[in-house]
């Protein structure tokens, strides 16, 4: 694992600075409070006991704080991973789920080692914007259940929490506003005996520490056949969500991160989590935004303490934590939604200036992610749409023009632009096979040949001229285009 000197220095400097250390500590506490209901709800999705999700959040956060490549990012049990592995428990039981998590972590390390992280460069900005906006919408939708069929007291409590989080930062930033909102309104509900849904209603909190867990499964090909598809899907979804979130945090904090280390660190964190009987996970954008954008955390300290505080809160102070109103935590996450959503991307001025294709990619990413509740589907569709629109746009900048010839018996065509499957398919129709003279020159000096489809098209053009009794010379190729044409021409079959 590469040694990150800048990260080490930032942790040391934070430990030496009381002001920075206070920010990191308080940020970790706020994130820990926000993790509790999320971890419990994700446990329900995965079909396991709430303690499994809570302990997973602890082990993921603490481990990734040490081995991860993006400082201040929060990784824990997540809904995306829970959805992928959910079918395992009812069919095969918890032991198979844990085996899946262990294998999924190993696959993430292997994918990172083989350079999967480098594929991030092919994700366009419009897909990133769609990813952020979709997750903000999903976080908001997830909070609605805390405000349906509940006492009317829930709404003024939530409103008070939002007012505190809006007004307090204008007065002081000494203490994170979400922490003040949670502490103050929890105290109010306890003192006045207000009966509103609270954390305790979400599920029973554990009273003991997590312990090592070895899944009781037969280690053979039959087990591998069962868990491998789920493990691979978990690995892909986890890597994708973590790396996209890391890129987002890079932009929020204006600092770089080591994506290779983050990918490998995620795999290690999932293996550690599986070793303690956990359900695995990946980066959480909502809690990450609380940590970095709202609380101002910048180092590994906050991530580590988020996990440590989580364990302390649920095991030691479980009775107090159980009294926290869900409407307050819901209000915190709603504020996170508004802070996360890229409002500039939907501003009328932006939409007027932005190319329609870019907006279409963003909308496609948002729509698919929200409709399927699956980040991977949304990003994949967004990238595919972006590729199609890009190919369509590039295809239209290719042209064939007639150039001056050396004599009356020779016609010279100049081809300009990028030639690949989308732009070269119509190339065969750009020549006048019957009316052209006996000698034809196709000049590709201002063109680039990118694939076998283009070489096959050029062969087809040559064949059609040959059938008309005319000779064709293809000139002007250079570099990789020339090498590609010489290697493939006449060897693709089916010309003409």
């Amino acid at each position: 694992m590469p040694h990150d000197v800048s990260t080490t220095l930032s942790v040391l400097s934070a430990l030496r600075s009381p002001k920075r250390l206070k920010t990191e500590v308080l940020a970790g506490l706020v994130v820990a409070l926000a993790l509790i209901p999320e971890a419990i709800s994700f446990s329900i999705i995965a079909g396991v006991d709430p303690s499994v999700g809570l302990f997973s959040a602890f082990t993921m956060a603490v481990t990734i704080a040490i081995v991860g490549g993006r400082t201040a990012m929060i990784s824990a049990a997540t809904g995306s991973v829970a959805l992928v592995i959910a079918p395992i428990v009812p069919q095969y039981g918890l032991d198979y789920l844990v085996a899946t998590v262990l294998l999924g972590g190993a696959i993430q390390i292997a994918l990172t080692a083989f350079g999967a992280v480098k594929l991030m460069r092919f994700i366009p900005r419009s897909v990133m914007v769609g990813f952020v906006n979709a997750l903000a919408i999903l976080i908001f939708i997830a909070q609605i259940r805390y405000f349906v069929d509940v006492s009317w007291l829930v709404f003024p409590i939530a409103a008070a929490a939002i007012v505190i989080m809006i007004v307090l930062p204008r007065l002081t930033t000494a203490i994170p506003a979400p922490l003040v909102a949670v502490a103050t309104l929890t105290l109010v509900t306890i003192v006045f005996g207000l009966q509103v849904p609270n954390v305790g209603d979400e599920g029973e909190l554990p009273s003991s520490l997590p312990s090592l867990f070895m899944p009781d499964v037969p280690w053979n090909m039959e087990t591998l056949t069962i868990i491998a598809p789920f493990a691979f899907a978990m690995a892909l979804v986890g890597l994708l969500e973590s790396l996209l979130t890391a890129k987002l945090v890079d932009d929020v904090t204006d600092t770089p991160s080591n994506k290779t280390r983050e990918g490998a660190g995620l795999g290690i964190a999932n293996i550690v989590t599986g070793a303690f009987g956990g359900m695995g996970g990946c980066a959480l954008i909502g809690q990450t935004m609380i940590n970095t954008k709202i609380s101002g955390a910048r180092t590994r300290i906050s991530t580590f303490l988020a996990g440590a505080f989580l364990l302390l809160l649920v095991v030691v102070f479980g009775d107090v934590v159980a009294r926290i109103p869900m409407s307050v935590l819901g209000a915190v996450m709603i504020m996170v939604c508004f802070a996360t959503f890229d409002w500039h991307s939907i501003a009328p001025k932006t939409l007027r200036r932005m190319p329609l294709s870019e907006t279409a990619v963003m909308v496609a990413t948002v729509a698919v992610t929200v409709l399927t509740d699956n980040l991977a589907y949304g990003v994949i569709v967004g990238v595919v749409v972006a590729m199609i629109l890009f190919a369509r746009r590039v295809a239209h900048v290719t042209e064939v023009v007639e150039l001056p010839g050396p004599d009356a018996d020779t016609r010279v065509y100049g081809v300009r632009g990028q030639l690949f499957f989308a732009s070269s398919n119509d190339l065969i129709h750009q020549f006048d096979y019957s009316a052209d003279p006996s000698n034809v020159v196709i000049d590709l000096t201002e063109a680039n040949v990118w694939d076998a489809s283009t070489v096959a098209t050029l062969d087809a053009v040559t064949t059609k001229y040959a059938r008309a009794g005319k000779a064709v010379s293809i000139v002007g190729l250079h570099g990789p285009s020339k090498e590609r044409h010489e290697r493939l021409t006449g060897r693709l079959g089916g010309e003409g």
Side-chain angles (χ1 to χ4, degrees):
M1 195 72 65
H3 182 63
D4 194 339
V5 176
S6 62
T7 298
T8 304
L9 291 176
S10 67
V11 171
L12 292 175
S13 62
L15 291 173
R16 297 189 185 110
S17 168
K19 183 178 180 181
R20 168 49 56 187
L21 184 58
K22 184 189 74 171
T23 298
E24 300 295 319
V25 171
L26 293 178
L29 181 56
V30 174
V31 171
L33 290 169
L35 280 172
I36 294 171
E38 297 275 291
I40 294 174
S41 64
F42 297 151
S43 299
I44 295 171
I45 292 173
V48 296
D49 188 83
S51 63
V52 175
L54 289 166
F55 289 153
S56 296
F58 158 68
T59 52
M60 287 291 300
V62 168
T63 307
I64 205 72
I66 299 169
V67 300
R70 172 63 263 177
T71 58
M73 191 167 80
I74 305 298
S75 292
T78 58
S80 55
V81 170
L83 285 169
V84 170
I85 61 178
I88 298 176
V89 175
Q91 294 184 53
Y92 304 103
L94 178 63
D95 291 276
Y96 278 83
L97 180 141
V98 173
T100 300
V101 172
L102 292 170
L103 179 59
I107 292 174
Q108 286 171 334
I109 295 173
L111 288 173
T112 302
F114 283 108
V117 172
K118 296 178 181 177
L119 296 177
M120 288 297 297
R121 72 182 66 178
F122 296 106
I123 298 182
R125 178 188 176 278
S126 49
V127 174
M128 271 297 302
V129 173
F131 157 77
V132 170
N133 291 346
L135 285 183
I137 293 170
L138 288 177
I139 294 171
F140 181 83
I141 292 173
Q143 311 314 308
I144 294 176
R145 67 189 183 96
Y146 302 127
F147 300 93
V148 177
D149 296 328
V150 293
S151 167
W152 66 271
L153 291 171
V154 163
F155 299 99
I157 290 173
I162 290 174
V163 170
I164 290 173
M165 287 183 284
I166 292 175
V167 175
L168 186 61
R170 299 176 182 177
L171 304 176
T172 178
T173 56
I175 302 177
L179 181 58
V180 174
V182 170
T184 302
L185 294 170
T186 300
L187 183 61
V188 167
T189 58
I190 293 174
V191 170
F192 291 96
L194 303 180
Q195 299 300 311
V196 293
N198 54 37
V199 171
D201 297 328
E202 295 296 298
E204 184 179 354
L205 300 179
S207 57
S208 61
L209 296 175
S211 57
L212 289 173
F213 181 93
M214 177 58 68
D216 183 16
V217 298
W219 300 98
N220 53 31
M221 283 303 298
E222 182 181 356
T223 299
L224 183 62
T225 303
I226 293 171
I227 67 174
F230 297 103
F232 191 72
M234 169 195 160
L236 289 179
V237 169
L239 273 177
L240 186 61
E241 189 157 353
S242 289
L243 294 174
L244 286 173
T245 304
K247 191 173 187 301
L248 174 63
V249 179
D250 290 352
D251 296 336
V252 170
T253 62
D254 196 25
T255 57
S257 62
N258 188 329
K259 304 300 189 301
T260 299
R261 177 170 175 174
E262 183 61 35
L266 178 64
I268 294 171
N270 273 307
I271 290 175
V272 171
T273 298
F276 282 91
M279 56 183 281
C282 61
L284 279 164
I285 188 170
Q287 280 71 12
T288 297
M289 289 298 101
I290 291 175
N291 198 43
T292 57
K293 199 168 186 178
I294 295 177
S295 300
R298 291 294 182 269
T299 75
R300 298 179 185 275
I301 296 174
S302 59
T303 306
F304 181 89
L305 289 180
F309 280 141
L310 171 65
L311 187 65
L312 183 68
L313 287 169
V314 300
V315 174
V316 179
F317 300 103
D319 292 340
V320 177
V321 170
R323 302 292 296 275
I324 297 174
M326 286 306 303
S327 54
V328 176
L329 295 177
V332 171
M333 296 309 296
I334 288 172
M335 291 298 293
V336 171
C337 297
F338 281 91
T340 302
F341 195 92
D342 188 346
W343 297 100
H344 176 73
S345 66
I346 61 171
K349 183 184 293 185
T350 303
L351 294 175
R352 285 195 297 269
R353 292 179 177 177
M354 191 67 65
L356 185 59
S357 59
E358 299 285 325
T359 302
V361 170
M362 187 263 287
V363 171
T365 305
V366 171
V368 174
T369 301
V370 173
L371 290 175
T372 64
D373 199 22
N374 190 309
L375 165 72
Y377 291 158
V379 172
I380 290 170
V381 168
V383 170
V384 170
V385 171
M387 290 171 60
I388 292 172
L389 293 177
F390 174 76
R392 183 173 179 271
R393 188 164 60 248
V394 172
H396 288 302
V397 299
T398 302
E399 63 176 349
V400 178
V401 297
E402 186 173 349
L403 301 176
D407 52 59
D409 199 36
T410 303
R411 174 168 289 182
V412 181
Y413 289 99
V415 181
R416 300 167 180 168
Q418 307 304 313
L419 299 177
F420 62 110
F421 62 90
S423 60
S424 63
N425 282 337
D426 292 333
L427 191 64
I428 196 169
H429 306 298
Q430 303 298 312
F431 304 96
D432 194 346
Y433 301 98
S434 59
D436 279 347
S438 57
N439 295 308
V440 175
V441 176
I442 300 176
D443 189 343
L444 298 176
T445 303
E446 298 183 51
N448 288 299
V449 174
W450 290 109
D451 60 6
S453 294
T454 301
V455 176
T457 298
L458 292 173
D459 285 351
V461 170
T462 302
T463 300
K464 287 179 73 71
Y465 271 117
R467 289 173 180 171
K470 300 169 184 179
V472 177
S473 299
I474 296 178
V475 302
L477 284 171
H478 49 85
S481 295
K482 181 179 181 181
E483 186 276 332
R484 188 172 292 114
H485 182 264
E486 290 178 348
R487 175 161 45 88
L488 296 176
T489 186
R491 296 177 174 87
L492 296 174
E495 292 84 0

